[in-house]
Amino acid sequence: KRAIGTLTARERAILKLHFEEGLSKAEIAVRLGLSARIVQRDFEKSYSKLRGELALKLTGALSHGRE
């Protein structure tokens, strides 16, 4: 949940519409009144942020498990 908190409201909305509602990026653009380019950019940026945050948490959890 903390990783999702690092995203903007728009980034969260884009990911939610894509992953939970199954909308394409073009459909998300129409739904949110944004250009497809902005949706694509924000999707890539927010997905990358989440992957980075989760990788840090996993690395930390694994290193603590070895101690």
Side-chain angles (χ1 to χ4, degrees):
K1 287 186 177 184
R2 191 175 358 178
I4 290 177
T6 67
L7 304 177
T8 66
R10 185 168 77 190
E11 290 170 337
R12 286 192 303 273
I14 289 170
L15 290 179
K16 180 178 186 222
L17 290 170
H18 180 73
F19 289 111
E20 291 184 15
E21 296 188 28
L23 297 182
S24 70
K25 292 176 187 85
E27 292 168 323
I28 294 168
V30 170
R31 172 88 59 98
L32 297 180
L34 301 169
S35 74
R37 179 178 283 170
I38 289 174
V39 170
Q40 181 65 35
R41 182 199 66 202
D42 283 0
F43 177 86
E44 290 173 0
K45 184 172 71 169
S46 58
Y47 195 63
S48 179
K49 275 188 202 177
L50 286 181
R51 277 195 321 255
E53 288 287 324
L54 294 174
L56 284 174
K57 291 190 183 312
L58 180 58
T59 302
L62 291 175
S63 67
H64 285 358
R66 292 182 185 162
E67 295 176 359

